[in-house]
């Protein structure tokens, strides 16, 4: 299937609106846990060939310094991966917000916090999207790594699928220097299902 045939503009707009609603749930959850006002930007929808994923991430995420990259597999009709990327300084500031003292903050502590944040973002966004599409999903335990170049990203996703829908958003806090990016990567089979549901929604408008 040609990239342009995967989702037309109306379908992309509809998916963006569904993700806006889903991100609202995630924003509320993060705000409550960290007791700090957080915002998630309007989701950006991109459709690319999976073999182009590393180049895309290299351009969009800018891993020119140490970043925590957390991956969590999504299982079910909507299958794929969540990818949460956050620079080390932002992760450090989140740790302070979690109540850690400066001398308590280690890479292991930061990794645990990023795993927790990824779990919250995954469960809030994808669960809400699945609910709106009347399907069930589950999540594998997330895995986090510290990377300073995209070439070190060992992602089996790239070898399994041909196309990928990338739904990305930026997590920002009003009074903290924290900036992270959440990407949702979906599988070929899920793309077909999402397209079917979106068209059903559009027909009912």
């Amino acid at each position: 299937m040609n990239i342009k045939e995967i989702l037309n503009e109306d379908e992309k707009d509809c998916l963006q609106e569904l993700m806006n609603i889903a991100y609202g749930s995630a924003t509320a959850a993060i705000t409550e846990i960290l007791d700090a006002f957080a915002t998630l930007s309007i989701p950006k929808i991109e459709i690319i060939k999976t073999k182009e994923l590393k180049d895309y991430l290299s351009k969009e995420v800018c891993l020119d310094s140490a970043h925590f990259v957390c991956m969590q597999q999504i299982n079910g009709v909507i299958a794929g991966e969540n990818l949460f990327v956050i620079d080390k300084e932002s992760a450090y500031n989140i740790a302070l917000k979690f109540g850690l003292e400066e001398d308590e903050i280690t890479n292991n502590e930061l990794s645990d916090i990023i795993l927790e944040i990824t779990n919250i973002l995954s469960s809030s966004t994808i669960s809400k999207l699945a609910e709106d599409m009347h399907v069930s999903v589950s999540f594998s335990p997330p895995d986090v790594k510290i990377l300073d170049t995209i070439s070190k990203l060992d992602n089996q996703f790239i070898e399994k699928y041909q196309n990928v829908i990338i739904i990305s958003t930026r997590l920002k806090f009003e009074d903290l220097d924290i900036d992270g990016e959440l990407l949702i990567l979906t599988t070929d089979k899920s793309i077909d299902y999402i397209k079917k549901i979106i068209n059903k929604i559009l027909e009912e408008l």
Side-chain angles (χ1 to χ4, degrees):
M1 184 182 290
N2 185 287
I3 289 288
K4 293 183 178 178
E5 295 175 344
I6 294 175
L7 290 180
N8 61 36
E9 288 303 313
D10 287 342
E11 292 165 341
K12 285 175 70 174
D13 288 346
C14 183
L15 179 59
Q16 188 178 50
E17 182 57 31
L18 288 173
M19 290 310 306
N20 250 335
I21 296 169
Y23 285 150
S25 299
T27 303
I30 291 290
T31 297
E32 182 177 350
I33 289 173
L34 294 181
D35 191 25
F37 183 73
T39 59
L40 285 167
S41 64
I42 295 173
K44 185 168 69 173
I45 312 287
E46 299 275 353
I47 305 168
I48 63 172
K49 292 286 185 185
T50 312
K51 63 184 180 183
E52 299 168 352
L53 181 60
K54 281 192 174 181
D55 287 340
Y56 174 89
L57 293 176
S58 179
K59 179 182 175 184
E60 293 294 320
V61 180
C62 297
L63 290 182
D64 53 0
S65 61
H67 281 63
F68 288 87
V69 179
C70 192
M71 291 164 282
Q72 184 167 39
Q73 190 170 343
I74 308 163
N75 309 302
V77 177
I78 302 173
E81 284 187 43
N82 273 333
L83 201 64
F84 182 56
V85 183
I86 188 167
D87 64 82
K88 200 168 182 179
E89 183 178 349
S90 293
Y92 185 88
N93 288 333
I94 288 182
L96 294 176
K97 199 64 186 174
F98 263 84
L100 271 66
E101 299 293 335
E102 291 186 5
D103 60 359
E104 296 177 320
I105 299 175
T106 63
N107 279 345
N108 286 338
E109 291 288 351
L110 292 177
S111 293
D112 287 345
I113 288 171
I114 298 308
L115 288 170
E116 180 66 19
I117 293 292
T118 303
N119 262 327
I120 294 167
L121 291 173
S122 293
S123 61
S124 301
T125 54
I126 299 301
S127 295
K128 177 60 179 169
L129 181 66
E131 178 186 327
D132 289 343
M133 291 189 168
H134 308 293
V135 298
S136 297
V137 293
S138 62
F139 304 96
S140 298
D143 180 49
V144 65
K145 294 179 180 177
I146 302 175
L147 303 180
D148 56 11
T149 172
I150 200 66
S151 63
K152 294 181 181 176
L153 179 65
D154 180 20
N155 193 316
Q156 295 181 355
F157 191 94
I158 295 172
E159 299 175 356
K160 288 182 180 178
Y161 311 106
Q162 293 186 348
N163 301 306
V164 58
I165 297 179
I166 300 173
I167 306 168
S168 61
T169 185
R170 299 197 75 84
L171 173 66
K172 287 183 174 289
F173 289 83
E174 189 174 64
D175 59 343
L176 297 172
D177 187 14
I178 296 173
D179 188 9
E181 183 152 359
L182 175 69
L183 300 100
I184 301 169
L185 317 176
T186 59
T187 64
D188 295 348
K189 193 173 181 180
S190 297
I191 291 173
D192 293 338
Y193 184 80
I194 289 171
K195 185 178 176 74
K196 180 180 174 183
I197 294 297
I198 286 174
N199 277 289
K200 185 178 179 183
I201 292 171
L202 290 172
E203 288 172 5
E204 293 173 350
L205 292 178

